Amino acid sequence: MNIKWRYGLAFPLTLSLVLGGLTAWLGSISQVQTEEVRLDPDKPQYTMNGIAGKRFDETGRLKEHLTAKQAWQFPDDKNVHLGRPNLDMYQDGKLLYQIGSEEAVYHTESKQIAFDSQVVLTKPADHRPAGIVRTDHLYVDTQNQTARTEAQVAFEYGDSHGTANGMTYDHRQGLLNFPSKVKAIIYDAKTL
């Protein structure tokens, strides 16, 4: 009876040792070694071609429509860079203004866009005259419907036209301000 007990205990003990060793060996050969690779901060992490995005107001009407030929984002940067962007801003279903340029950077947190190189802002006529502003840099706040630049601008507003150093535009107030070195020919439609 003593011999049966030894053999009855030896087999399960040997089997558990063999299975434990096999499990340890399989675990060691099947582990995947991962190595974190730092991305080049000067090369885009993501690129997209032919993008279009729309934002709607609380009533479901179109508020913003942004298109671009290209978009890219760098590692560790929340901002989106755009190639050949066009931004259309709407209010109550009506086009407020359009902005196009060669390049732009969309700041995702502040919802501001910095347009660069051959920037053209076009405002269609409403109860105020149509307007066009051309410059090399323009910062647009889509929430407050404002635009500003310190660069040289050329403008047309109705029949008036001219140049200036810098500009601010507030659509809600209908105010176009040129702070310095303004050369302009101004036509007041009310006096004609």
Side-chain angles (χ1 to χ4, degrees):
M1 186 156 144
N2 197 10
I3 295 174
K4 286 184 181 180
W5 184 80
R6 277 195 209 159
Y7 291 121
L9 183 63
F11 177 74
L13 188 59
T14 305
L15 182 62
S16 67
L17 287 173
V18 170
L19 289 177
L22 182 64
T23 302
W25 177 74
L26 286 174
S28 69
I29 66 167
S30 64
Q31 285 182 348
V32 177
Q33 298 293 331
T34 59
E35 181 179 330
E36 187 174 322
V37 176
R38 183 97 173 122
L39 297 174
D40 185 348
D42 296 328
K43 292 183 180 177
Q45 181 176 3
Y46 304 105
T47 59
M48 298 169 276
N49 292 323
I51 69 159
K54 295 179 181 180
R55 182 176 289 145
F56 298 89
D57 65 14
E58 53 278 345
T59 64
R61 291 184 181 163
L62 184 61
K63 182 178 179 182
E64 299 171 20
H65 183 217
L66 177 67
T67 60
K69 186 175 180 179
Q70 291 180 310
W72 60 96
Q73 190 171 23
F74 292 99
D76 302 324
D77 187 5
K78 293 181 180 181
N79 300 327
V80 178
H81 299 260
L82 304 166
R84 306 286 312 257
N86 286 296
L87 174 65
D88 299 337
M89 296 292 298
Y90 295 87
Q91 184 174 3
D92 299 327
K94 294 181 183 177
L95 180 65
L96 294 178
Y97 54 86
Q98 299 172 303
I99 304 169
S101 69
E102 290 297 313
E103 296 179 3
V105 177
Y106 180 71
H107 301 275
T108 56
E109 291 180 0
S110 66
K111 295 184 174 68
Q112 294 184 357
I113 304 175
F115 290 92
D116 285 313
S117 186
Q118 300 179 17
V119 182
V120 178
L121 180 146
T122 306
K123 182 195 90 59
D126 49 17
H127 62 278
R128 298 173 289 221
I132 297 174
V133 174
R134 291 178 176 83
T135 186
D136 282 332
H137 309 287
L138 187 67
Y139 300 96
V140 177
D141 186 331
T142 60
Q143 298 300 310
N144 296 323
Q145 298 177 353
T146 60
R148 65 180 167 79
T149 185
E150 294 178 7
Q152 177 81 18
V153 296
F155 62 90
E156 299 171 24
Y157 189 71
D159 292 330
S160 304
H161 57 88
T163 61
N165 283 349
M167 171 211 81
T168 58
Y169 174 65
D170 186 331
H171 180 77
R172 290 180 181 157
Q173 293 182 8
L175 182 62
L176 181 62
N177 182 33
F178 300 106
S180 68
K181 296 189 180 181
V182 179
K183 292 182 181 180
I185 297 175
I186 307 293
Y187 293 99
D188 187 0
K190 295 176 190 173
T191 60
L192 295 177

